[in-house]
Amino acid sequence: MAKKKTEDKSNTEKPRVHKDLNGFDIKINSFGEIQMSYDVEKINQFLNKTVDDKKLRNRK
């Protein structure tokens, strides 16, 4: 007996994001390419500022 497929609910509610990344949106097109609303450099700056890197903790 096959399982019934659940309905695809259109999720119009956007996920919560950090206030510095408000408006960030990421999509994958039909060719598998990633399309973002923010520049990669801006995202990297945000990550460098907010995320602690364990490998770089004890470096001088």
Side-chain angles (χ1 to χ4, degrees):
M1 189 176 241
K3 291 184 180 180
K4 292 182 181 180
K5 292 185 178 180
T6 58
E7 286 185 27
D8 243 352
K9 295 181 182 179
S10 60
N11 192 0
T12 57
E13 183 179 322
K14 292 191 176 186
R16 294 180 304 179
V17 295
H18 193 274
K19 65 180 179 179
D20 292 341
L21 293 177
N22 196 12
F24 175 69
D25 190 30
I26 187 167
K27 294 182 182 184
I28 300 176
N29 66 11
S30 60
F31 298 110
E33 298 172 330
I34 298 173
Q35 297 176 335
M36 293 184 284
S37 60
Y38 276 0
D39 185 32
V40 175
E41 292 300 320
K42 186 173 181 180
I43 296 170
N44 284 336
Q45 288 175 356
F46 170 77
L47 292 174
N48 288 337
K49 182 174 67 173
T50 57
V51 179
D52 181 35
D53 192 350
K54 293 188 287 186
K55 293 180 182 178
L56 300 177
R57 281 185 188 162
N58 297 326
R59 268 193 193 176
K60 291 185 179 182

